[in-house]
Amino acid sequence: MQNERNYIILFLAAVFISSVSQVMLKKSAKRMYKSRIQEYMNLSVIIAYILFLGSTLLTVTAYKYIPLSMGPILEATGYIWVAAMGAMFLKEKINRKKVLGLLMIVGGTIAFNIK
C-alpha cells in the first residue's frame, strides 16, 4: 500500500509537470516572433516539450504500480492545475462557470471510475 501511494504521488507530479508545460506553451503562443521557425524553436517551447516527455515517462512508470482505473481520476487534477496557473501566470479570470465546469469534470471523472 505504501508503494502504491508513492506512485500515486509520482502520477500527480507528472500531471503537475504536464500542466506547467501547457501553460508555458500558451505563454509562448501569445508572443510575436520574427519568423515561423522561431515560434517552434525557442527555449520556452523546447523546455515545454521536454517537460511533456518527462511527464509521459513518469506516468508510464506510475501505471506499473497503480490500477488503470485510477489514472483518469488523477489525470483530472490537471484541469485544476491549468486553471490555477492560467489565473496566476496568464491573468485569466476564474469565474463561477469555470469553477462549476471544473467541479463537473473532476466529479464526473471520479463518479464514472468508482467501482
Side-chain angles (χ1 to χ4, degrees), residues 6-74:
N6 291 340
Y7 285 98
I8 289 171
I9 292 168
L10 181 69
F11 197 107
L12 290 171
V15 172
F16 178 78
I17 291 167
S18 176
S19 300
V20 168
S21 179
Q22 290 177 50
V23 172
M24 287 177 70
L25 287 173
K26 187 165 185 179
K27 238 182 131 100
S28 178
K30 287 185 169 190
R31 289 191 213 130
M32 297 301 292
Y33 296 94
K34 293 178 184 176
S35 70
R36 192 88 157 143
I37 193 78
Q38 286 180 336
E39 288 181 34
Y40 301 100
M41 298 302 293
N42 64 67
L43 189 59
S44 182
V45 170
I46 293 169
I47 290 172
Y49 280 115
I50 290 170
L51 288 175
F52 267 135
L53 176 64
S55 171
T56 301
L57 295 175
L58 291 175
T59 301
V60 169
T61 301
Y63 265 131
K64 289 181 181 180
Y65 300 97
I66 64 170
L68 287 174
S69 61
M70 191 179 292
I73 296 170
L74 299 173

